Amino acid sequence: MAKIRGNGVKFASEKLVLTAGATPANEILMFCLADPGEAFILPTPYYPGFDRDLKWRTGVEIVPMHCSSSNGFRITSSALEQAYQQAQKLNLKIKGVLVTNPSNPLGITMTKTELNHLVDFAIDKNIHIISDEIYSGTVFDSPKFVSITEVVNERITSVSNNNIWNRIHIVYSLSKDLGIPGFRVGMIYSNNETVVTAATKMSSFGLVSSQTQYLVANLLKDKKFTCKYMEETQKRLKRRKEKLVSGLRNAGIRCLESNAGLFCWVDLRHLLGSATFEAEKELWMKILCKVGLNISPGSSCHCCEPGWFRVCFANMSQDTLEVAMRRMKAFADSTISTSVLRGSIAKWEN
């Protein structure tokens, strides 16, 4: 964790709680920080699985903080405040904000400005921040990854009296950074002793096996291999992402500029029959059933603008990606041609 963050922050092992993946880590934090009926703010678009992971067994509610394509889906102070006021109207007590950094599904790292907005907001409202940083080692391009811990560390003199350190909690996992999701190695890092104690007891329901711990510990001891492995992974992710972006650009499709993750946030608004989520679903079904490509519609990520899709690029061979790009271009060309034809017919009829 320290190495990925440029050794800018020191981490203490006694503040770490191991869990069987990031999924139980997030759920445990919900149990620790909120009672049933209380809520966390999540910036949209967010990982669809959070609706399950954070809510189903805990009874905690999610209040979406809607981000816009007009500023690249960045977090703003005004959007945070609007979400808080919406929760007040719904009579929901906000216990904190949960962010993914780097973002799933956007594939972008949060800026220091955004992180400072979060810290200011948490201090003002006296609430918690959970930063899910499971993609922190996948950053393959500038700007570099900045953890919430680094931002708080820089501001320690001005925020120490607010006990903000006790309300910052990190979720991390080896699934994405080392490519070992089946090993189920996740963790919670917190400076809050009460949270660490409670989370440690709750982690008994989802332990990392002794055999897995032994294997992974020995793997991480080989620092030379681990460093080379991470560097090579990041290079391959960058090449694969550029291949995807280039293929989509050739089909007249643009993506949100990204620098991390295993996916791109793709803009297919020009292929919609209308600017509605019904049209987005229709487009998704065509791409799934007729084109044979499985991509995630933005509505599943609670995006407030129809026409955005998450496209994964790291879970297939290069040959498969090339086939996918050819199919996507043929589909986009035919869809646009049909749209132009319909427009011409409508104009002629008028």
mmCIF file of all heavy atoms in Angstrom, residues 134-161:
data_model
loop_
_atom_site.group_PDB
_atom_site.id
_atom_site.type_symbol
_atom_site.label_atom_id
_atom_site.label_comp_id
_atom_site.label_asym_id
_atom_site.label_seq_id
_atom_site.Cartn_x
_atom_site.Cartn_y
_atom_site.Cartn_z
ATOM 1 N N ILE A 134 -9.176 0.034 -4.588
ATOM 2 C CA ILE A 134 -8.751 -1.276 -5.078
ATOM 3 C C ILE A 134 -8.102 -1.215 -6.464
ATOM 4 O O ILE A 134 -7.453 -2.181 -6.878
ATOM 5 C CB ILE A 134 -9.916 -2.287 -5.093
ATOM 6 C CG1 ILE A 134 -10.982 -1.903 -6.111
ATOM 7 C CG2 ILE A 134 -10.525 -2.437 -3.713
ATOM 8 C CD1 ILE A 134 -12.045 -2.986 -6.309
ATOM 9 N N TYR A 135 -8.260 -0.089 -7.179
ATOM 10 C CA TYR A 135 -7.625 0.046 -8.492
ATOM 11 C C TYR A 135 -6.386 0.935 -8.449
ATOM 12 O O TYR A 135 -5.878 1.352 -9.492
ATOM 13 C CB TYR A 135 -8.623 0.631 -9.507
ATOM 14 C CG TYR A 135 -9.735 -0.320 -9.888
ATOM 15 C CD1 TYR A 135 -10.987 -0.254 -9.273
ATOM 16 C CD2 TYR A 135 -9.547 -1.301 -10.854
ATOM 17 C CE1 TYR A 135 -12.009 -1.125 -9.609
ATOM 18 C CE2 TYR A 135 -10.561 -2.178 -11.207
ATOM 19 C CZ TYR A 135 -11.789 -2.088 -10.585
ATOM 20 O OH TYR A 135 -12.801 -2.959 -10.928
ATOM 21 N N SER A 136 -5.874 1.228 -7.254
ATOM 22 C CA SER A 136 -4.773 2.191 -7.118
ATOM 23 C C SER A 136 -3.502 1.759 -7.841
ATOM 24 O O SER A 136 -2.718 2.606 -8.281
ATOM 25 C CB SER A 136 -4.472 2.452 -5.639
ATOM 26 O OG SER A 136 -4.231 1.236 -4.949
ATOM 27 N N GLY A 137 -3.283 0.452 -7.971
ATOM 28 C CA GLY A 137 -2.090 -0.032 -8.655
ATOM 29 C C GLY A 137 -2.255 -0.185 -10.149
ATOM 30 O O GLY A 137 -1.319 -0.598 -10.844
ATOM 31 N N THR A 138 -3.439 0.158 -10.683
ATOM 32 C CA THR A 138 -3.677 0.034 -12.129
ATOM 33 C C THR A 138 -3.476 1.357 -12.863
ATOM 34 O O THR A 138 -3.745 1.432 -14.060
ATOM 35 C CB THR A 138 -5.111 -0.468 -12.423
ATOM 36 O OG1 THR A 138 -6.055 0.557 -12.059
ATOM 37 C CG2 THR A 138 -5.417 -1.739 -11.653
ATOM 38 N N VAL A 139 -3.027 2.395 -12.168
ATOM 39 C CA VAL A 139 -2.837 3.710 -12.812
ATOM 40 C C VAL A 139 -1.698 3.592 -13.814
ATOM 41 O O VAL A 139 -0.554 3.321 -13.444
ATOM 42 C CB VAL A 139 -2.539 4.805 -11.773
ATOM 43 C CG1 VAL A 139 -2.325 6.152 -12.465
ATOM 44 C CG2 VAL A 139 -3.681 4.896 -10.765
ATOM 45 N N PHE A 140 -2.011 3.803 -15.091
ATOM 46 C CA PHE A 140 -1.043 3.575 -16.158
ATOM 47 C C PHE A 140 -0.644 4.849 -16.882
ATOM 48 O O PHE A 140 0.150 4.823 -17.821
ATOM 49 C CB PHE A 140 -1.586 2.558 -17.163
ATOM 50 C CG PHE A 140 -2.985 2.854 -17.660
ATOM 51 C CD1 PHE A 140 -3.223 3.860 -18.575
ATOM 52 C CD2 PHE A 140 -4.064 2.124 -17.179
ATOM 53 C CE1 PHE A 140 -4.503 4.132 -19.031
ATOM 54 C CE2 PHE A 140 -5.352 2.384 -17.624
ATOM 55 C CZ PHE A 140 -5.574 3.392 -18.552
ATOM 56 N N ASP A 141 -1.195 5.980 -16.462
ATOM 57 C CA ASP A 141 -0.894 7.238 -17.137
ATOM 58 C C ASP A 141 -1.052 8.379 -16.143
ATOM 59 O O ASP A 141 -1.640 8.205 -15.069
ATOM 60 C CB ASP A 141 -1.842 7.425 -18.333
ATOM 61 C CG ASP A 141 -1.188 8.177 -19.485
ATOM 62 O OD1 ASP A 141 -0.170 8.855 -19.246
ATOM 63 O OD2 ASP A 141 -1.682 8.084 -20.622
ATOM 64 N N SER A 142 -0.521 9.543 -16.500
ATOM 65 C CA SER A 142 -0.652 10.707 -15.619
ATOM 66 C C SER A 142 -2.095 11.228 -15.683
ATOM 67 O O SER A 142 -2.785 11.014 -16.679
ATOM 68 C CB SER A 142 0.328 11.802 -16.052
ATOM 69 O OG SER A 142 0.068 12.187 -17.398
ATOM 70 N N PRO A 143 -2.570 11.893 -14.635
ATOM 71 C CA PRO A 143 -1.866 12.205 -13.389
ATOM 72 C C PRO A 143 -1.736 10.978 -12.497
ATOM 73 O O PRO A 143 -2.508 10.026 -12.620
ATOM 74 C CB PRO A 143 -2.759 13.265 -12.750
ATOM 75 C CG PRO A 143 -4.133 12.968 -13.262
ATOM 76 C CD PRO A 143 -3.941 12.474 -14.667
ATOM 77 N N LYS A 144 -0.768 11.023 -11.596
ATOM 78 C CA LYS A 144 -0.520 9.882 -10.719
ATOM 79 C C LYS A 144 -1.645 9.744 -9.692
ATOM 80 O O LYS A 144 -2.406 10.679 -9.445
ATOM 81 C CB LYS A 144 0.831 10.035 -10.010
ATOM 82 C CG LYS A 144 0.883 11.105 -8.931
ATOM 83 C CD LYS A 144 2.261 11.161 -8.306
ATOM 84 C CE LYS A 144 2.308 12.105 -7.099
ATOM 85 N NZ LYS A 144 1.560 11.618 -5.935
ATOM 86 N N PHE A 145 -1.693 8.576 -9.088
ATOM 87 C CA PHE A 145 -2.693 8.311 -8.063
ATOM 88 C C PHE A 145 -2.373 9.075 -6.779
ATOM 89 O O PHE A 145 -1.237 9.088 -6.319
ATOM 90 C CB PHE A 145 -2.751 6.812 -7.766
ATOM 91 C CG PHE A 145 -3.591 6.461 -6.574
ATOM 92 C CD1 PHE A 145 -4.970 6.584 -6.634
ATOM 93 C CD2 PHE A 145 -3.008 6.030 -5.393
ATOM 94 C CE1 PHE A 145 -5.758 6.267 -5.531
ATOM 95 C CE2 PHE A 145 -3.786 5.699 -4.297
ATOM 96 C CZ PHE A 145 -5.165 5.824 -4.366
ATOM 97 N N VAL A 146 -3.404 9.722 -6.220
ATOM 98 C CA VAL A 146 -3.280 10.415 -4.938
ATOM 99 C C VAL A 146 -4.333 9.840 -4.003
ATOM 100 O O VAL A 146 -5.531 9.885 -4.292
ATOM 101 C CB VAL A 146 -3.481 11.941 -5.080
ATOM 102 C CG1 VAL A 146 -3.364 12.613 -3.713
ATOM 103 C CG2 VAL A 146 -2.473 12.539 -6.055
ATOM 104 N N SER A 147 -3.893 9.288 -2.888
ATOM 105 C CA SER A 147 -4.806 8.715 -1.905
ATOM 106 C C SER A 147 -5.354 9.796 -0.980
ATOM 107 O O SER A 147 -4.705 10.830 -0.748
ATOM 108 C CB SER A 147 -4.077 7.658 -1.077
ATOM 109 O OG SER A 147 -4.882 7.215 0.000
ATOM 110 N N ILE A 148 -6.536 9.552 -0.442
ATOM 111 C CA ILE A 148 -7.123 10.464 0.535
ATOM 112 C C ILE A 148 -6.191 10.623 1.734
ATOM 113 O O ILE A 148 -6.125 11.698 2.351
ATOM 114 C CB ILE A 148 -8.520 9.953 0.982
ATOM 115 C CG1 ILE A 148 -9.235 10.973 1.868
ATOM 116 C CG2 ILE A 148 -8.412 8.623 1.711
ATOM 117 C CD1 ILE A 148 -9.824 12.125 1.148
ATOM 118 N N THR A 149 -5.419 9.578 2.056
ATOM 119 C CA THR A 149 -4.501 9.645 3.197
ATOM 120 C C THR A 149 -3.404 10.685 2.966
ATOM 121 O O THR A 149 -2.975 11.357 3.904
ATOM 122 C CB THR A 149 -3.851 8.278 3.457
ATOM 123 O OG1 THR A 149 -3.255 7.796 2.250
ATOM 124 C CG2 THR A 149 -4.872 7.268 3.945
ATOM 125 N N GLU A 150 -2.950 10.817 1.730
ATOM 126 C CA GLU A 150 -1.918 11.808 1.410
ATOM 127 C C GLU A 150 -2.433 13.229 1.582
ATOM 128 O O GLU A 150 -1.732 14.095 2.107
ATOM 129 C CB GLU A 150 -1.424 11.593 -0.025
ATOM 130 C CG GLU A 150 -0.737 10.265 -0.255
ATOM 131 C CD GLU A 150 -0.417 10.030 -1.712
ATOM 132 O OE1 GLU A 150 0.389 10.799 -2.271
ATOM 133 O OE2 GLU A 150 -0.977 9.081 -2.311
ATOM 134 N N VAL A 151 -3.668 13.456 1.149
ATOM 135 C CA VAL A 151 -4.263 14.790 1.257
ATOM 136 C C VAL A 151 -4.447 15.180 2.720
ATOM 137 O O VAL A 151 -4.116 16.303 3.129
ATOM 138 C CB VAL A 151 -5.611 14.850 0.499
ATOM 139 C CG1 VAL A 151 -6.368 16.119 0.835
ATOM 140 C CG2 VAL A 151 -5.377 14.760 -1.003
ATOM 141 N N VAL A 152 -4.944 14.251 3.523
ATOM 142 C CA VAL A 152 -5.138 14.535 4.949
ATOM 143 C C VAL A 152 -3.787 14.731 5.628
ATOM 144 O O VAL A 152 -3.635 15.603 6.488
ATOM 145 C CB VAL A 152 -5.942 13.406 5.634
ATOM 146 C CG1 VAL A 152 -6.037 13.641 7.132
ATOM 147 C CG2 VAL A 152 -7.333 13.307 5.030
ATOM 148 N N ASN A 153 -2.802 13.942 5.226
ATOM 149 C CA ASN A 153 -1.464 14.057 5.807
ATOM 150 C C ASN A 153 -0.880 15.445 5.569
ATOM 151 O O ASN A 153 -0.227 16.022 6.450
ATOM 152 C CB ASN A 153 -0.554 12.991 5.201
ATOM 153 C CG ASN A 153 0.638 12.676 6.076
ATOM 154 O OD1 ASN A 153 0.514 12.585 7.297
ATOM 155 N ND2 ASN A 153 1.792 12.524 5.467
ATOM 156 N N GLU A 154 -1.098 16.000 4.374
ATOM 157 C CA GLU A 154 -0.596 17.328 4.040
ATOM 158 C C GLU A 154 -1.291 18.423 4.851
ATOM 159 O O GLU A 154 -0.724 19.487 5.098
ATOM 160 C CB GLU A 154 -0.785 17.601 2.544
ATOM 161 C CG GLU A 154 0.125 16.777 1.650
ATOM 162 C CD GLU A 154 -0.187 16.965 0.180
ATOM 163 O OE1 GLU A 154 -1.156 17.721 -0.128
ATOM 164 O OE2 GLU A 154 0.506 16.370 -0.670
ATOM 165 N N ARG A 155 -2.528 18.149 5.251
ATOM 166 C CA ARG A 155 -3.330 19.150 5.963
ATOM 167 C C ARG A 155 -3.389 18.910 7.466
ATOM 168 O O ARG A 155 -4.181 19.518 8.161
ATOM 169 C CB ARG A 155 -4.768 19.128 5.427
ATOM 170 C CG ARG A 155 -4.882 19.503 3.975
ATOM 171 C CD ARG A 155 -6.300 19.355 3.475
ATOM 172 N NE ARG A 155 -7.306 19.852 4.410
ATOM 173 C CZ ARG A 155 -8.540 20.220 4.077
ATOM 174 N NH1 ARG A 155 -8.906 20.134 2.810
ATOM 175 N NH2 ARG A 155 -9.391 20.637 4.959
ATOM 176 N N ILE A 156 -2.528 18.032 7.962
ATOM 177 C CA ILE A 156 -2.650 17.546 9.333
ATOM 178 C C ILE A 156 -2.700 18.664 10.370
ATOM 179 O O ILE A 156 -3.452 18.591 11.337
ATOM 180 C CB ILE A 156 -1.505 16.559 9.655
ATOM 181 C CG1 ILE A 156 -1.770 15.832 10.984
ATOM 182 C CG2 ILE A 156 -0.160 17.244 9.652
ATOM 183 C CD1 ILE A 156 -2.967 14.949 10.976
ATOM 184 N N THR A 157 -1.931 19.728 10.175
ATOM 185 C CA THR A 157 -1.913 20.802 11.179
ATOM 186 C C THR A 157 -3.238 21.537 11.244
ATOM 187 O O THR A 157 -3.676 21.965 12.308
ATOM 188 C CB THR A 157 -0.796 21.806 10.865
ATOM 189 O OG1 THR A 157 -0.940 22.265 9.515
ATOM 190 C CG2 THR A 157 0.569 21.166 11.044
ATOM 191 N N SER A 158 -3.910 21.648 10.082
ATOM 192 C CA SER A 158 -5.150 22.417 10.068
ATOM 193 C C SER A 158 -6.376 21.568 10.396
ATOM 194 O O SER A 158 -7.408 22.100 10.784
ATOM 195 C CB SER A 158 -5.353 23.069 8.683
ATOM 196 O OG SER A 158 -5.417 22.083 7.683
ATOM 197 N N VAL A 159 -6.274 20.238 10.234
ATOM 198 C CA VAL A 159 -7.463 19.416 10.449
ATOM 199 C C VAL A 159 -7.360 18.484 11.656
ATOM 200 O O VAL A 159 -8.305 17.803 11.994
ATOM 201 C CB VAL A 159 -7.799 18.570 9.192
ATOM 202 C CG1 VAL A 159 -8.009 19.447 8.003
ATOM 203 C CG2 VAL A 159 -6.716 17.525 8.928
ATOM 204 N N SER A 160 -6.182 18.470 12.331
ATOM 205 C CA SER A 160 -5.990 17.499 13.403
ATOM 206 C C SER A 160 -6.980 17.686 14.533
ATOM 207 O O SER A 160 -7.404 16.713 15.155
ATOM 208 C CB SER A 160 -4.552 17.604 13.941
ATOM 209 O OG SER A 160 -4.281 18.929 14.379
ATOM 210 N N ASN A 161 -7.380 18.927 14.791
ATOM 211 C CA ASN A 161 -8.313 19.168 15.894
ATOM 212 C C ASN A 161 -9.713 18.654 15.611
ATOM 213 O O ASN A 161 -10.549 18.578 16.498
ATOM 214 C CB ASN A 161 -8.370 20.671 16.220
ATOM 215 C CG ASN A 161 -7.049 21.183 16.786
ATOM 216 O OD1 ASN A 161 -6.298 20.424 17.391
ATOM 217 N ND2 ASN A 161 -6.760 22.456 16.570
#
